[in-house]
Amino acid sequence: PNPVDQAMLKIKPKPFGDGSVVFLGRLVWQKGVYILPRLAKLLNHVIFHVIGEGPLKEWLLENKPRNIVYHGLIIGNEKFKLLKNASVVIVPSICYEMWAYTVTESFIAAKPVVALAVQKNR
């Protein structure tokens, strides 16, 4: 099965985007969710769209600054619209991932991805 919705291949990306940042994924520690409120406070003029569900949802809602917009789990055209209009996608995972679908979807939408380098414990 193909995890990428084929309808995404028909989207026309908005060059340079609207200045917003998208986080797309499960709201768990390993995905770096705890980084989002701190980063949003540093970049308080930037809108952060958070798409996803998970155990850290309540924590995020309690700790998010005003420039984080929480969308919950959305799929299809609504998700594609946010990706298409964003300027960048953030993937702050602190764990190794075999294949991040978020990165694939971001590239389909012609969006750059900012990701963390995972350090090997010594």
Side-chain angles (χ1 to χ4, degrees):
N2 188 341
V4 176
D5 188 327
Q6 296 300 302
M8 266 195 93
L9 299 174
K10 297 176 183 173
I11 67 171
K12 293 183 180 164
K14 181 178 181 182
F16 308 110
D18 60 9
S20 66
V21 174
V22 168
F23 170 89
L24 172 61
R26 273 187 41 85
L27 303 182
V28 294
W29 180 262
Q30 297 87 341
K31 297 286 187 178
V33 172
Y34 65 92
I35 294 169
L36 298 176
R38 287 189 277 169
L39 186 58
K41 286 177 185 173
L42 288 172
L43 303 171
N44 60 8
H45 61 285
V46 175
I47 300 296
F48 284 73
H49 296 282
V50 175
I51 303 168
E53 290 282 342
L56 292 181
K57 173 186 171 183
E58 294 305 320
W59 177 88
L60 179 66
L61 292 175
E62 292 171 8
N63 292 283
K64 73 177 191 69
R66 289 188 293 153
N67 59 325
I68 288 183
V69 179
Y70 176 69
H71 297 274
L73 180 61
I74 58 173
I75 58 173
N77 288 336
E78 191 176 351
K79 178 176 76 170
F80 303 154
K81 182 179 178 185
L82 285 171
L83 282 172
K84 177 180 85 168
N85 291 327
S87 291
V88 66
V89 175
I90 184 167
V91 181
S93 294
I94 58 168
C95 64
Y96 289 102
E97 296 196 44
M98 195 165 155
W99 186 264
Y101 297 131
T102 301
V103 174
T104 302
E105 290 177 330
S106 301
F107 288 167
I108 290 170
K111 299 302 167 184
V113 174
V114 175
L116 297 181
V118 177
Q119 298 292 324
K120 182 178 179 183
N121 292 335
R122 296 177 187 213

